[in-house]
């Protein structure tokens, strides 16, 4: 067990506090959070099922979309069940190993998501700027390798974080994490000893993933727009831009909340703690909700397949 009054000791468990300052509203908060989690799970599982059964969708774009759906399911499931357990049963205790595992899953798959968006931008670039070679440049095997590369990218980048905490920061002055999940900085700030290495490594990973990946993705879409503007027929321009519209929407849905949450965490010292925690939860929950909606609405093949399924179910009733 941990002791208080800044006495450093080895933790057996941490205590998550859900959303600081809103403890009296746990039951009410569980309704929107539980509903959003259910929508996220149903939406992403539906995307996976539609792509699986519809052979016309066995193309790189939809395989990357399936990867994105799996990532969204992992991100939301790694945090929401525990948060709902806190809301319903006040089950805030989490063991050290479970805490580090949750931290790894969250940060690893957030990194994998960034790599997947980069792969989707490359796919969109090839499909528009060199359509005749699209099937040869991105066969199914290459798509699988790109997905595996994104996963290894996340594991190699984030894998050292929990190991560094385990090896370098064994003692802690408190066991209460003012957060609803085991976020890296929330855990490191509780540790005794020098945590500068952990801070620098965490900031470096954030810079590489958030800044460099977003710059590469933006450059890819910049080249796509330049190629599209060179098309002589306006209808062709609109159709081609629509091809990547869903990718751009999904990209913004993920990166804007992350950027806002990071800026507020670093510089918004006057922002109340509940706002910090709510934003941190939203950037892990809102993209899994909105991504399936964006792709279902903007992607003609998925929309048509969903409508067919709904019509069949209506006729059978």
């Amino acid at each position: 067990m941990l002791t208080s009054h800044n006495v450093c000791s080895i933790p057996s468990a941490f205590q998550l506090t859900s959303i600081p300052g809103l403890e009296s509203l746990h039951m009410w908060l569980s309704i929107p959070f539980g509903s959003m989690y259910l929508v996220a799970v149903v939406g992403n599982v539906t995307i996976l099922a539609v792509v699986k059964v519809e052979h016309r969708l066995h193309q790189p774009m939809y395989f990357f979309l399936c990867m994105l759906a799996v990532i969204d399911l992992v991100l939301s499931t790694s945090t929401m069940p525990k948060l709902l357990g806190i809301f319903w049963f006040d089950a805030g205790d989490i063991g050290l190993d479970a805490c580090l595992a949750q931290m790894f899953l969250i940060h690893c798959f957030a990194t994998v998501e960034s790599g997947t968006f980069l792969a989707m931008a490359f796919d969109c670039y090839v499909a528009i700027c060199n359509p005749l070679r699209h099937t040869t440049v991105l066969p199914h095997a290459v798509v699988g390798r790109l997905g595996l590369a994104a996963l290894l990218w996340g594991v190699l980048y984030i894998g050292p974080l929990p190991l560094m905490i385990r090896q370098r920061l064994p003692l802690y002055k408190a066991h209460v994490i003012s957060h609803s999940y085991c976020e890296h900085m929330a855990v490191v700030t509780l540790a005794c000893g020098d945590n500068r290495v952990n801070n620098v490594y965490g900031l470096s990973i954030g810079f590489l993933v958030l800044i460099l990946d977003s710059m590469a993705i933006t450059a890819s879409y910049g080249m796509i727009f330049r190629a599209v503007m060179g098309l002589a027929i306006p209808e062709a321009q609109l159709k081609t831009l629509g091809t990547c519209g869903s990718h751009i929407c999904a990209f913004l849905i993920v990166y804007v909340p992350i950027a806002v949450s990071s800026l507020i965490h670093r510089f918004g010292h006057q922002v109340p703690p509940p706002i910090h925690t709510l934003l941190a939860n939203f950037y892990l929950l809102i993209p899994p909700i909105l991504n399936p909606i964006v792709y279902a609405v903007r992607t003609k093949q998925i929309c048509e397949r969903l409508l067919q399924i709904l019509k069949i179910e209506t006729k059978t009733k």
Side-chain angles (χ1 to χ4, degrees), residues 110-227:
T111 305
V112 175
E113 187 170 43
S114 180
T116 303
F117 277 123
L118 188 58
M120 293 171 76
F122 175 67
D123 169 60
C124 194
Y125 172 77
V126 175
I128 291 174
C129 298
N130 201 350
L132 297 179
R133 297 192 57 202
H134 185 238
T135 55
T136 57
V137 173
L138 283 169
H140 293 177
V142 172
V143 173
R145 292 191 191 103
L146 288 175
L148 181 60
L151 179 60
L152 292 175
W153 180 277
V155 171
L156 291 175
Y157 268 14
I158 305 303
L161 280 181
L163 295 177
M164 290 168 63
I165 291 176
R166 259 295 194 189
Q167 299 299 321
R168 299 191 70 260
L169 302 173
L171 301 176
Y172 291 80
K173 56 180 175 285
H175 73 287
V176 177
I177 300 175
S178 299
H179 214 295
S180 59
Y181 57 84
C182 291
E183 196 270 336
H184 175 247
M185 289 305 302
V187 175
V188 169
T189 53
L190 299 179
C192 299
D194 188 0
N195 60 14
R196 286 177 295 179
V197 174
N198 298 73
N199 289 334
V200 171
Y201 188 82
L203 288 173
S204 301
I205 294 301
F207 174 80
L208 289 172
V209 173
L210 184 61
I211 304 299
L212 295 185
D213 279 8
S214 61
M215 288 175 60
I217 293 169
T218 303
S220 298
Y221 285 116
M223 290 187 289
I224 291 170
F225 290 146
R226 186 173 62 181

Side-chain angles (χ1 to χ4, degrees), residues 1-311:
M1 294 293 293
L2 281 169
T3 57
S4 57
H5 306 297
N6 293 331
V7 176
C8 296
S9 59
I10 299 174
S12 59
F14 290 109
Q15 179 75 29
L16 298 172
T17 59
S18 68
I19 302 173
L22 301 180
E23 289 80 5
S24 61
L25 301 176
H26 275 184
M27 289 304 298
W28 292 107
L29 288 172
S30 69
I31 297 174
F33 276 95
S35 301
M36 287 189 290
Y37 177 57
L38 180 62
V39 170
V41 171
V42 171
N44 285 285
V45 169
T46 300
I47 291 293
L48 291 171
V50 169
V51 174
K52 177 180 175 58
V53 301
E54 182 57 65
H55 293 287
R56 291 184 304 163
L57 303 182
H58 291 182
Q59 302 173 25
M61 170 183 171
Y62 303 104
F63 290 144
F64 287 128
L65 176 56
C66 288
M67 296 177 195
L68 196 61
V70 171
I71 292 167
D72 286 340
L73 286 171
V74 172
L75 286 175
S76 57
T77 303
S78 63
T79 55
M80 285 304 113
K82 183 62 179 179
L83 180 59
L84 292 175
I86 298 173
F87 286 157
W88 292 334
F89 311 112
D90 198 25
D93 287 344
I94 184 170
L96 176 60
D97 291 334
C99 181
L100 295 179
Q102 186 187 54
M103 178 195 305
F104 172 77
L105 286 174
I106 293 169
H107 294 296
C108 176
F109 278 88
T111 305
V112 175
E113 187 170 43
S114 180
T116 303
F117 277 123
L118 188 58
M120 293 171 76
F122 175 67
D123 169 60
C124 194
Y125 172 77
V126 175
I128 291 174
C129 298
N130 201 350
L132 297 179
R133 297 192 57 202
H134 185 238
T135 55
T136 57
V137 173
L138 283 169
H140 293 177
V142 172
V143 173
R145 292 191 191 103
L146 288 175
L148 181 60
L151 179 60
L152 292 175
W153 180 277
V155 171
L156 291 175
Y157 268 14
I158 305 303
L161 280 181
L163 295 177
M164 290 168 63
I165 291 176
R166 259 295 194 189
Q167 299 299 321
R168 299 191 70 260
L169 302 173
L171 301 176
Y172 291 80
K173 56 180 175 285
H175 73 287
V176 177
I177 300 175
S178 299
H179 214 295
S180 59
Y181 57 84
C182 291
E183 196 270 336
H184 175 247
M185 289 305 302
V187 175
V188 169
T189 53
L190 299 179
C192 299
D194 188 0
N195 60 14
R196 286 177 295 179
V197 174
N198 298 73
N199 289 334
V200 171
Y201 188 82
L203 288 173
S204 301
I205 294 301
F207 174 80
L208 289 172
V209 173
L210 184 61
I211 304 299
L212 295 185
D213 279 8
S214 61
M215 288 175 60
I217 293 169
T218 303
S220 298
Y221 285 116
M223 290 187 289
I224 291 170
F225 290 146
R226 186 173 62 181
V228 169
M229 291 301 106
L231 298 176
I233 304 174
E235 290 79 6
Q237 292 179 346
L238 292 175
K239 182 178 180 180
T240 306
L241 287 174
T243 303
C244 292
S246 54
H247 293 344
I248 297 173
C249 289
F251 170 73
L252 293 175
I253 287 169
V254 171
Y255 276 85
V256 170
I258 290 177
V260 172
S261 180
S262 298
L263 288 173
I264 290 178
H265 182 76
R266 297 294 175 186
F267 305 108
H269 302 296
Q270 304 302 320
V271 178
I275 302 300
H276 281 282
T277 309
L278 283 171
L279 285 174
N281 280 289
F282 284 157
Y283 92 73
L284 292 177
L285 190 56
I286 296 301
I289 294 173
L290 294 183
N291 283 340
I293 297 174
V294 166
Y295 280 101
V297 172
R298 294 189 60 88
T299 305
K300 180 180 178 182
Q301 292 88 339
I302 293 179
C303 190
E304 288 177 349
R305 185 61 181 176
L306 286 175
L307 290 175
Q308 289 176 2
I309 294 173
L310 291 175
K311 287 180 181 178

